[in-house]
């Protein structure tokens, strides 16, 4: 099962690395690709085919977005 998880989750590596290195005005360009990949993972990966697991992946991505926004925007 771990090998299967690594195989499916590895498709997120490249777009997430790009996301981490992008300027704020380009972040939105990565959203559709990452969300589509998460959807494909939920359809094909045996472990990530439940709502709970899918929600976990989306939450991880959402938290990453929020961290990046906090880095770039002064909320004070």
């Amino acid at each position: 099962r771990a090998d299967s998880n690594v195989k499916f989750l590895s498709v997120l590596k490249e777009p997430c690395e790009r996301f981490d290195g992008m300027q704020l005005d380009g972040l939105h360009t990565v959203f559709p690709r990452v969300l589509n990949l998460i959807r494909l993972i939920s359809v094909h990966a045996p472990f990530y085919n439940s709502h709970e697991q899918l929600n976990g992946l989306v939450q991880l991505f959402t938290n990453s977005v929020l961290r990046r926004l906090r880095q770039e925007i002064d909320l004070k």
Side-chain angles (χ1 to χ4, degrees):
R1 181 163 107 170
D3 289 342
S4 175
N5 290 345
V6 169
K7 178 178 110 177
F8 283 105
L9 294 176
S10 68
V11 300
L12 291 170
K13 183 178 180 183
E14 182 271 328
C16 289
E17 285 175 346
R18 264 192 7 188
F19 174 81
D20 285 341
M22 284 186 154
Q23 296 295 320
L24 186 61
D25 61 354
L27 295 180
H28 71 282
T29 63
V30 178
F31 296 168
R33 176 152 171 76
V34 170
L35 293 175
N36 189 46
L37 288 170
I38 290 173
R39 184 186 64 78
L40 289 173
I41 290 168
S42 75
V43 169
H44 297 290
F47 181 72
Y48 288 98
N49 62 359
S50 70
H51 289 294
E52 294 81 16
Q53 298 303 329
L54 179 60
N55 287 342
L57 284 177
V58 172
Q59 186 174 16
L60 286 170
F61 180 63
T62 302
N63 289 342
S64 178
V65 170
L66 292 173
R67 274 192 303 278
R68 281 300 315 274
L69 292 175
R70 281 190 210 116
Q71 289 172 351
E72 300 290 333
I73 298 172
D74 184 11
L75 298 176
K76 296 178 184 176

